[in-house]
Amino acid sequence: MHLSHSQQMKMDQQMKLAPRMIQSMEILQLPLMALQERIEQELEENVVLEQLQDDPENRSETEVEVEREKAQDSEHDTELLSERELLVDNDHNNEADFERLMEMSQEWSEDNSPSGSRVSSNRMDDISDRQHDAIANLTEQADTLQEYLLEQFSFFECDDELREFGEYLIQNLDKNGRLQSSLAEISQVYGRIIDIERAEEALQLIQKLDPPGVGARNVKECLLLQLTDETPFRDVLVTLITEHFEDMGKNRLPVITRKTGYSIELIKAAEEELRKLNPFPGRGYEEVSVQRVTADLKVEQDDDGKWTVELIDEYIPELRISPRYIRMMQNNPDAETKAFIKKKVESATWLIESIEQRYGTIKAVAQAIIDHQSDFLENGPQSIVPLKMQQIADVVGRHVTTVSRAVDDKWIQTPRGLYPLKRFFGGGTTTADGEEVAWENIRRKLKEVIDGEDKQSPLSDDALVDALAKEGLTLARRTVTKYRKKMGIPSSRERREY
């Protein structure tokens, strides 16, 4: 074997995001309230950053002394800096910053408020009066569905085997309140030996809990669990759910009539009761929160009739670098203190510049959007036109990903209401006449036509094509079918009312 050493030159390309670019993208993508929180955090952590209306010269001697001690205590300030250290890290590839940036969109998701209900009295027939009274006084909303069920389950009188397996089953319910696997599969992975009959007994106890329908193994069982002796058309509903569930979903009422002998009127009456049942009894207990929506911009019409966009910055404080710390950095002989203050000043400067850049980018993007969709402001939703982000990127001279971040979670107040900026983007189709029509207009017209149809003789897709043509939209049948399905509108047979 022959070993040798040699030198070679190799050229390759690598993309490295500068810390300043990472921070600018991060600040650009933040919603208004999130930006306010970020600024408040920076004001707490960075001693050289202050609001412009604050006058540091008027602070008390105690406040000045406290800040001077912070500036001189390098160890303490290093801890304060730890969270944002990567923003000024020029020695690495900033992988952590990039990962944090990619996770931002998930951190600011829009959700709904949780809701719950008290225990229904007719669900606890097997519990003593004393236990029923205790359950009736449970808190109206537990933190999670599992906690709510476990609290109720604790009032059952059963042996340890049933109690422990029942608690295990509750932990295996999904967000809809149904079992995630079959009872046999859950029993096998339980970790202890339990007879399937005992497992079934524990499940039956859970199925008596509130909300009605929890502990079901499928949708049919979930609906059947909600039927009581007082439910109108109970026997008819049992037959429809167990034997004709698919036919009900496809609105095949004549088929059901032929197989069961029930009249159309009876089936429709039972169907009304079926609609009152909840196939997802656990969903009201998801831990979610409502995020406040605040307009980032507003659009108004000037005297010349031009629509102009203005930023709403009343929620964002005006920032500056503290002059006192600038003097300390210039005059303090201690090298460590000067280095600390310099790093803080650099971080504060980058934040201020990123916010200013954010303002400019969002305003330019929003103005370009409004210029393109001015007919929407003049005439309403029927005048919206197809618009792609690349078109706006070309107008403002920015990359399309920058435009995407600029409009993400940003809202604009218009004379026609409060809208997310993303609302003005959307595709469309080209009619047979060569005219571009926005998806929004097709959706609106299609809904109007279907809402106005004769429900006993609903329009087929071919008839919808003709009806839309009368409204000025000349579309192919396949296009109408595609958009009808996108809107979740059933076929004409399924829409028919008997």
Side-chain angles (χ1 to χ4, degrees):
M1 176 183 288
H2 178 69
L3 298 177
S4 63
H5 296 279
S6 62
Q7 292 183 339
Q8 293 182 340
M9 296 183 64
K10 180 182 178 181
M11 297 181 63
D12 61 358
Q13 291 182 333
Q14 293 182 351
M15 184 182 72
K16 294 184 179 181
L17 294 178
R20 184 172 301 205
M21 182 181 297
I22 293 174
Q23 186 178 48
S24 295
M25 291 188 294
E26 182 180 9
I27 295 297
L28 176 63
Q29 192 167 347
L30 286 176
L32 188 59
M33 293 295 99
L35 176 62
Q36 184 182 27
E37 293 176 4
R38 171 66 181 274
I39 291 175
E40 290 173 355
Q41 178 186 359
E42 292 286 350
L43 285 169
E44 291 178 1
E45 296 182 357
N46 194 333
V47 294
V48 309
L49 188 66
E50 63 186 17
Q51 297 186 35
L52 188 60
Q53 62 267 28
D54 290 341
D55 186 0
E57 301 301 333
N58 293 332
R59 295 178 184 174
S60 66
E61 290 296 327
T62 302
E63 291 174 324
V64 173
E65 183 62 29
V66 168
E67 291 193 353
R68 183 179 296 114
E69 290 177 358
K70 286 183 180 180
Q72 293 174 347
D73 188 350
S74 59
E75 180 180 352
H76 176 67
D77 287 296
T78 299
E79 293 177 357
L80 289 178
L81 189 64
S82 60
E83 281 192 4
R84 316 309 300 181
E85 186 72 30
L86 286 171
L87 293 177
V88 291
D89 180 10
N90 290 304
D91 298 328
H92 303 87
N93 290 340
N94 302 289
E95 293 90 346
D97 285 85
F98 192 75
E99 290 176 3
R100 186 180 71 224
L101 180 66
M102 292 300 100
E103 294 170 355
M104 283 181 56
S105 59
Q106 300 176 1
E107 295 175 359
W108 295 98
S109 59
E110 297 181 359
D111 299 306
N112 298 316
S113 295
S115 60
S117 59
R118 291 187 179 274
V119 180
S120 302
S121 58
N122 61 352
R123 302 293 297 166
M124 296 299 168
D125 297 334
D126 295 348
I127 304 178
S128 67
D129 292 340
R130 178 185 59 80
Q131 293 169 327
H132 183 279
D133 291 340
I135 292 177
N137 287 287
L138 291 174
T139 55
E140 184 169 349
Q141 175 62 55
D143 291 336
T144 66
L145 173 66
Q146 278 71 22
E147 290 178 3
Y148 185 54
L149 296 176
L150 287 171
E151 193 172 5
Q152 298 175 62
F153 191 72
S154 65
F155 290 99
F156 280 117
E157 292 182 355
C158 57
D159 57 59
D160 292 342
E161 183 183 46
L162 280 187
R163 182 172 307 281
E164 292 174 4
F165 185 71
E167 292 174 349
Y168 183 74
L169 285 179
I170 289 175
Q171 297 296 345
N172 276 273
L173 299 179
D174 61 19
K175 66 179 182 180
N176 298 320
R178 297 200 289 265
L179 288 182
Q180 301 181 46
S181 305
S182 69
L183 190 59
E185 291 172 336
I186 295 176
S187 300
Q188 290 177 358
V189 298
Y190 174 49
R192 308 179 200 175
I193 298 176
I194 183 170
D195 293 337
I196 191 65
E197 292 80 8
R198 296 284 285 168
E200 186 73 38
E201 186 178 348
L203 179 60
Q204 290 176 3
L205 289 178
I206 294 172
Q207 291 177 346
K208 294 178 181 179
L209 301 177
D210 185 80
V214 293
R217 283 159 282 201
N218 51 56
V219 177
K220 290 184 180 180
E221 186 177 26
C222 178
L223 297 174
L224 290 172
L225 287 171
Q226 298 176 53
L227 301 180
T228 67
D229 293 338
E230 291 76 25
T231 302
F233 311 106
R234 182 184 185 280
D235 294 339
V236 176
L237 284 171
V238 171
T239 301
L240 294 179
I241 293 172
T242 55
E243 301 177 18
H244 304 284
F245 196 64
E246 183 178 351
D247 289 333
M248 291 289 292
K250 297 293 185 180
N251 199 31
R252 299 169 181 161
L253 303 193
V255 174
I256 300 174
T257 296
R258 187 171 62 253
K259 291 182 178 179
T260 63
Y262 298 151
S263 66
I264 293 291
E265 291 74 17
L266 178 60
I267 297 173
K268 290 175 68 175
E271 186 179 27
E272 287 300 315
E273 295 299 322
L274 181 62
R275 296 181 193 277
K276 299 177 183 178
L277 306 181
N278 182 9
F280 311 108
R283 285 192 178 179
Y285 294 82
E286 294 181 66
E287 294 184 52
V288 292
S289 59
V290 174
Q291 187 175 335
R292 178 184 176 187
V293 173
T294 305
D296 298 77
L297 311 108
K298 61 181 178 181
V299 59
E300 296 177 343
Q301 196 170 28
D302 59 22
D303 295 337
D304 297 329
K306 177 178 174 58
W307 295 100
T308 58
V309 172
E310 295 294 336
L311 287 161
I312 300 176
D313 57 1
E314 59 186 279
Y315 303 99
I316 305 302
E318 194 170 354
L319 305 175
R320 74 170 182 180
I321 308 296
S322 171
R324 184 171 66 257
Y325 280 96
I326 295 294
R327 293 194 296 269
M328 289 176 63
M329 182 176 63
Q330 294 172 345
N331 302 328
N332 197 305
D334 182 65
E336 189 174 358
T337 299
K338 292 179 68 173
F340 165 75
I341 296 177
K342 181 180 179 182
K343 180 173 286 190
K344 288 289 189 181
V345 169
E346 184 180 34
S347 180
T349 302
W350 285 13
L351 176 65
I352 293 171
E353 290 179 354
S354 296
I355 293 174
E356 291 298 324
Q357 188 177 23
R358 175 186 189 273
Y359 286 160
T361 301
I362 293 177
K363 185 174 181 179
V365 168
Q367 186 64 61
I369 293 172
I370 293 303
D371 290 343
H372 197 89
Q373 299 286 13
S374 58
D375 288 345
F376 169 84
L377 300 174
E378 297 277 359
N379 306 312
Q382 68 274 13
S383 298
I384 197 168
V385 296
L387 178 62
K388 299 183 182 300
M389 288 190 183
Q390 186 60 58
Q391 294 175 252
I392 299 300
D394 294 339
V395 172
V396 299
R398 309 289 172 86
H399 195 275
V400 67
T401 57
T402 301
V403 174
S404 177
R405 290 189 175 94
V407 302
D408 191 31
D409 284 325
K410 310 302 188 305
W411 293 73
I412 184 168
Q413 183 67 55
T414 76
R416 296 192 174 272
L418 182 65
Y419 291 96
L421 281 178
K422 282 188 175 180
R423 166 70 171 74
F424 297 98
F425 292 97
T429 188
T430 303
T431 68
D433 300 330
E435 179 186 1
E436 281 196 358
V437 182
W439 145 246
E440 174 67 20
N441 291 336
I442 298 175
R443 186 200 66 81
R444 184 178 55 81
K445 288 291 186 182
L446 186 57
K447 186 176 185 302
E448 288 178 1
V449 170
I450 291 178
D451 287 346
E453 70 184 357
D454 180 2
K455 298 305 179 184
Q456 293 186 341
S457 181
L459 299 174
S460 66
D461 287 350
D462 286 324
L464 288 174
V465 170
D466 297 336
L468 290 172
K470 295 177 181 179
E471 297 290 335
L473 296 176
T474 308
L475 303 173
R477 182 186 182 280
R478 63 178 180 275
T479 303
V480 172
T481 303
K482 179 180 71 173
Y483 286 135
R484 175 181 60 76
K485 291 181 178 179
K486 274 188 176 182
M487 295 169 62
I489 298 176
S491 66
S492 57
R493 184 189 64 191
E494 296 169 354
R495 298 198 307 273
R496 183 179 179 185
E497 294 182 0
Y498 295 90

